[in-house]
Amino acid sequence: MSDSAEPRRPLPLVMEAPRGRAKPPVHLADLDPAGRAALLAERGLPAFRAKQLSHHYFGRLVDDAEQMTDLPAGQRADLVGALLPPLMTPVRTMEADAGTTRKTLWRLFDGALVESVLMRYPGRATMCVSSQAGCGMACPFCATGQGGLQRNMSTAEIVEQVLAGARALARDEVPGGPGRVSNVVFMGMGEPLANYKAVVGAVRRLTDPTPDGLGMSARGVTVSTVGLVPRIRQLAEEGVPVTLALSLHAPDDELRNELVPINTRFSVEETVQAAFDYAQATKRRVSIEYAMMRGINDQGWRADLLADVLMRGDWGWVHVNLIPLNPTPGSKWTASDPADEAEFVRRLEARGIPTTVRDTRGREIDGACGQLAAAE
Ligand code: SAH
């Protein structure tokens, strides 16, 4: 991390994936249009075919070479092999909510396992994607946090999770008729801002107009972070105005140091200020994520303290999203009492802070937030 201006504090966690391992195959979704053409040229293939391949992948959502009939039959396999190598295979798919919530466990080229979740609602469909195999942030209440970090995912590995959902929707495989992915949330496995370059690349691919990318609106993309302050500041200048979600979970350093260990490096004050500056720079309202844990962070006085901490500028910059804790196996924490949750909401709203309680789709398939652990 380029944080040489930061005061030196002990680094409690592994922030970078181990180096020197084999890399995932390079794929069209890793590259911009010029890079795609260059890669074909390098392999002695006609560069202008890159555009057609992009159209098949992002525009038509085709992944079967047989259906790419505008490519010369004699070259098709080479072209597809060069730019559309297989990246992941589904190991298992689990469904809930009458098929409108689907969790898929994927095996990556090196055996690493990650999960993604498709959630379809009337009028929209959200893909929750992983950005790392495992996670190095070690939040004790999060299932992924318990296993440590295996590796960063590539841009194409991230994008391909969204494309898998887009294909399923386009092919009418999800109840509700043919549809498209309207939202992408980086709330699966991993800390997206610890895999910054690949995640920003994925956001670009998702938001670039078709056929260069999937043509989504940046406002439909949410990047959720524990609060890597220098990366939040960098993201604000990236020119991709995605929605930022900050996993705060406590308004005071004492408790947040325990719940979100990176807080020992970036305090609540620094982190919330960075989120506020992000909102000012992008004009996008920041979402504060707060998992409600019984007797831990759900006291009325902590709601008041949270309101104090979020009071800067005008209220328009922030929105609080309370998540009923999904207890992970062996965890000492449980979800808050409904009465305590209601009181917490009441106190925030009394201070004028827009507050919602997140729906908990996919709980019974361990597809709910924080439960993606790829235990195989
Ligand atoms: N590393 C990123 C994104 C992944 S987690 C982040 O921390 O923001 C997505 C959200 O699920 C985060 O807000 C995270 O704190 C929350 N979460 C993790 N474990 C949870 C659990 N057991 N119950 C409820 N929410 C949880």
Side-chain angles (χ1 to χ4, degrees), residues 267-316:
S267 69
V268 168
E269 174 53 35
E270 282 175 89
T271 306
V272 171
Q273 185 62 38
F276 174 72
D277 293 341
Y278 184 89
Q280 300 292 106
T282 59
K283 309 273 178 279
R284 312 275 318 136
R285 190 186 268 186
V286 169
S287 179
I288 299 290
E289 310 295 301
Y290 199 104
M292 295 288 284
M293 307 177 202
R294 182 181 303 183
I296 303 287
N297 66 352
D298 62 353
Q299 306 85 350
W301 67 267
R302 274 207 165 87
D304 296 339
L305 186 58
L306 179 59
D308 292 341
V309 162
L310 298 180
M311 173 156 354
R312 48 197 89 203
D314 62 277
W315 285 131

Side-chain angles (χ1 to χ4, degrees), residues 135 137 139 141-143 186-192 223-227 245-249 260 289-292 323-328 358 363 369-371:
C135 185
M137 296 297 114
C139 303
F141 59 90
C142 171
F186 285 81
M187 294 185 180
M189 297 166 70
E191 167 48 47
V223 172
S224 182
T225 180
V226 291
L246 172 63
S247 297
L248 198 62
H249 304 313
V260 185
E289 310 295 301
Y290 199 104
M292 295 288 284
I323 316 168
L325 183 80
N326 290 307
T328 55
R358 186 188 289 178
R363 280 200 151 187
C369 43
Q371 291 196 334

Side-chain angles (χ1 to χ4, degrees), residues 42 46 84 91 121 130 169 172 195 243 306 312 328 333 340 368:
E42 252 170 55
L84 298 171
V91 177
Y121 306 85
S130 296
L169 287 164
D172 200 8
N195 184 16
T243 299
L306 179 59
R312 48 197 89 203
T328 55
W333 293 299
D340 294 335

Side-chain angles (χ1 to χ4, degrees), residues 1-2 36 52 57 76 101 127 145 156 158 166 173 181 190 193 196 207 219 282 289 298 322 325 330 343 362:
M1 295 187 50
S2 56
R36 295 168 200 171
Q52 282 170 294
Y57 185 74
R76 212 178 286 162
T101 302
M127 274 303 303
I158 298 168
E173 291 167 12
V181 175
L193 296 189
Y196 186 88
T207 57
R219 50 181 55 238
T282 59
E289 310 295 301
D298 62 353
L322 301 177
L325 183 80
E343 174 64 8

Side-chain angles (χ1 to χ4, degrees), residues 65 102 116 187 256:
R102 286 183 159 204
S116 61
M187 294 185 180
R256 194 165 190 264

Side-chain angles (χ1 to χ4, degrees), residues 94-97 100-104 115-119 121 126-130 141-145 185-190 289 291 321-329 335 358-374:
M94 292 169 84
E95 294 188 355
D97 308 306
T100 57
T101 302
R102 286 183 159 204
K103 179 176 81 163
T104 307
E115 293 176 307
S116 61
V117 186
L118 172 64
M119 290 159 284
Y121 306 85
T126 300
M127 274 303 303
C128 176
V129 298
S130 296
F141 59 90
C142 171
T144 311
V185 296
F186 285 81
M187 294 185 180
M189 297 166 70
E289 310 295 301
N321 192 20
L322 301 177
I323 316 168
L325 183 80
N326 290 307
T328 55
R358 186 188 289 178
D359 99 306
T360 51
R361 273 223 189 178
R363 280 200 151 187
E364 63 276 30
I365 55 171
D366 287 346
C369 43
Q371 291 196 334
L372 302 185

Side-chain angles (χ1 to χ4, degrees), residues 17-26 108-112 150-154 157:
R19 290 175 188 285
R21 302 241 195 107
K23 290 226 158 71
V26 174
L108 308 183
F109 86 105
D110 56 353
Q150 287 133 59
R151 70 165 170 89
N152 281 332
M153 295 175 72
S154 68
E157 286 173 331

